[in-house]
C-alpha cells in the first residue's frame, strides 16, 4: 500500500507543477471564510510538515501523537502574502522528502500506530497515514484546480 501512496504522491507533484500554473489567480478568496489557492498550498505545506514528522518519528516511537490547528497555522504563517514560487518549491521539496522517507521505510514499522487525533486517542498505522495524507493532498489539489 505504501508503494501506491508513493506513486500517487509523485504524480500529484508532477500534476500540479505544470507550466500554466502561474496563470492561475492564486490570491482570490472565493468567500470570507474560504482560503485562496495560496493559502491552500500553505495548508498543504503545513500538512506535509506534520506528516513528515509522523513518518519519521514512527520509525522509532510507538503511539506518537502530533496534531495542529490548520486555520491558525495558515493565518499565523501569512501564506496569502508569501511568494508563490517559494510556497510551491517548499511544498514540492517537503513532498519529495516524504517520498524518500516512505521509499526507505523499515518494513517492520509500517504497522506502527500513530495518534493523529486532537481529543480522544485515534491510532492509525503508518501505511494508513500515508494513504490518508495522499487522499487529503489530492482533495486540496482538486480545490486548487476548480477554485471558485
Amino acid at each position: 500500500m505504501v508503494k501506491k501512496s508513493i506513486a500517487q504522491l509523485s504524480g500529484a507533484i508532477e500534476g500540479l507543477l505544470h507550466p500554466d500554473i502561474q496563470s492561475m489567480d492564486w490570491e482570490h478568496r472565493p468567500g470570507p471564510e474560504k482560503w485562496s489557492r495560496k493559502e491552500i498550498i500553505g495548508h498543504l505545506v503545513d500538512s506535509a510538515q506534520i506528516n513528515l514528522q509522523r513518518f519519521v518519528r514512527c520509525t522509532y516511537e510507538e503511539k506518537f501523537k502530533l496534531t495542529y490547528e490548520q486555520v491558525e497555522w495558515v493565518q499565523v504563517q501569512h501564506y496569502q502574502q508569501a511568494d508563490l514560487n517559494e510556497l510551491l518549491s517548499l511544498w514540492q521539496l517537503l513532498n519529495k522528502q516524504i517520498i524518500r522517507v516512505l521509499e526507505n521505510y523499515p518494513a517492520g514499522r509500517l504497522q506502527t500506530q500513530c495518534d493523529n487525533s486532537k481529543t480522544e486517542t485515534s491510532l492509525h498505522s503508518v501505511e494508513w497515514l500515508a494513504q490518508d495524507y495522499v487522499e487529503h493532498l489530492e482533495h486540496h489539489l482538486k480545490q486548487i484546480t476548480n477554485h471558485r
Side-chain angles (χ1 to χ4, degrees):
M1 186 195 290
V2 170
K3 288 183 180 182
K4 178 184 173 191
S5 297
I6 292 167
Q8 288 176 284
L9 190 50
S10 294
I13 293 169
E14 297 305 317
L16 179 64
L17 301 177
H18 56 78
D20 296 335
I21 198 166
Q22 298 291 334
S23 65
M24 293 180 179
D25 180 353
W26 285 87
E27 300 201 7
H28 170 73
R29 286 187 177 128
E33 299 298 316
K34 300 283 186 178
W35 286 336
S36 68
R37 285 183 171 112
K38 262 191 187 177
E39 290 168 318
I40 293 170
I41 282 292
H43 168 64
L44 291 176
V45 164
D46 297 341
S47 177
Q49 291 180 55
I50 288 293
N51 282 285
L52 179 57
Q53 285 297 305
R54 287 176 179 154
F55 299 141
V56 169
R57 301 274 297 269
C58 282
T59 63
Y60 62 90
E61 283 185 51
E62 298 291 330
K63 299 178 183 172
F64 174 69
K65 181 176 180 122
L66 181 60
T67 63
Y68 70 108
E69 301 296 328
Q70 63 184 17
V71 172
E72 289 80 355
W73 281 39
V74 167
Q75 290 172 347
V76 167
Q77 296 189 74
H78 303 281
Y79 288 126
Q80 186 71 356
Q81 291 78 37
D83 178 86
L84 176 61
N85 292 320
E86 289 177 6
L87 279 179
L88 292 171
S89 293
L90 180 57
W91 175 80
Q92 179 184 33
L93 291 171
L94 284 165
N95 282 289
K96 285 185 174 189
Q97 182 63 17
I98 288 172
I99 289 170
R100 187 173 9 268
V101 168
L102 293 177
E103 284 176 335
N104 296 289
Y105 215 82
R109 298 295 295 178
L110 287 171
Q111 295 307 312
T112 301
Q113 301 285 299
C114 178
D115 184 358
N116 66 343
S117 68
K118 291 183 185 175
T119 56
E120 296 181 23
T121 301
S122 178
L123 297 172
H124 298 284
S125 71
V126 170
E127 275 188 324
W128 186 92
L129 288 169
Q131 188 59 42
D132 184 64
Y133 171 71
V134 171
E135 289 171 6
H136 173 256
L137 178 114
E138 288 175 337
H139 164 76
H140 284 298
L141 292 181
K142 284 180 186 169
Q143 285 181 321
I144 288 171
T145 304
N146 302 323
H147 203 261
R148 298 186 209 301

